[in-house]
Amino acid sequence: MAMSTGGNSGGPMSEINVTPLVDVMLVLLIIFMITAPLMTHRIKIDLPKANPNVKEEVQVEPMDVAVKEDGSLYSGDAPVTEAELKNQFAVAANKSPQPEIQLRADRTTQYKTVRKVLGFAKDAGMVHVAFLTTGNSKE
């Protein structure tokens, strides 16, 4: 209960009543004092140990496919037909992990030829395709 000593007894009080604030702070202090030790409790478990001698990922040699301006196809540096390229894609698609196709196309090659090679790869089930280009050159 707030009381005023002297002065204008009929007017409003200008002091803040801090009693409810102190009560709330003491309750919060008690709650934190009880719950803080419970939060530091740790569960002990026996974790497995990693074997540093095991390699995580096997590196697979990528397939290099080149398409020239006239539509001729090359696997690596050897010329191939469309049927041979389809067979190579089918064999590579069954490997685990699957190799990446690195596709190099001449700048003036028609896109329909490149799209046809991508269709062969998709039909075989290949999912990793990269397009190789030249870097920035100052011309």
Side-chain angles (χ1 to χ4, degrees), residues 47-56:
L47 294 174
K49 298 193 189 290
N51 186 356
N53 297 329
V54 176
K55 292 189 178 184
E56 293 286 330

Side-chain angles (χ1 to χ4, degrees), residues 13-129:
M13 284 182 44
S14 62
E15 295 96 20
I16 298 174
N17 188 0
V18 295
T19 305
L21 177 66
V22 172
D23 290 342
V24 169
M25 294 305 291
L26 286 174
V27 169
L28 287 175
L29 178 65
I30 291 170
I31 290 172
F32 285 128
M33 287 173 54
I34 292 172
T35 59
L38 298 175
M39 294 174 66
T40 60
H41 181 69
R42 295 192 175 128
I43 299 171
K44 295 182 180 180
I45 57 173
D46 188 22
L47 294 174
K49 298 193 189 290
N51 186 356
N53 297 329
V54 176
K55 292 189 178 184
E56 293 286 330
E57 189 174 316
V58 177
Q59 294 293 335
V60 179
E61 188 71 25
M63 289 183 64
D64 184 32
V65 178
V67 182
K68 291 186 93 175
E69 179 184 3
D70 60 356
S72 57
L73 303 171
Y74 292 84
S75 179
D77 291 331
V80 292
T81 64
E82 291 180 0
E84 291 172 341
L85 190 62
K86 286 180 184 180
N87 289 337
Q88 288 180 5
F89 286 161
V91 170
N94 291 328
K95 291 182 181 177
S96 180
Q98 200 175 76
E100 177 183 67
I101 298 173
Q102 294 181 345
L103 184 60
R104 295 179 295 135
D106 192 80
R107 183 183 303 211
T108 57
T109 303
Q110 292 185 357
Y111 181 70
K112 68 179 182 179
T113 309
V114 176
R115 188 180 65 209
K116 187 179 358 174
V117 173
L118 291 174
F120 297 159
K122 181 181 177 187
D123 292 341
M126 300 292 290
V127 292
H128 303 289
V129 178

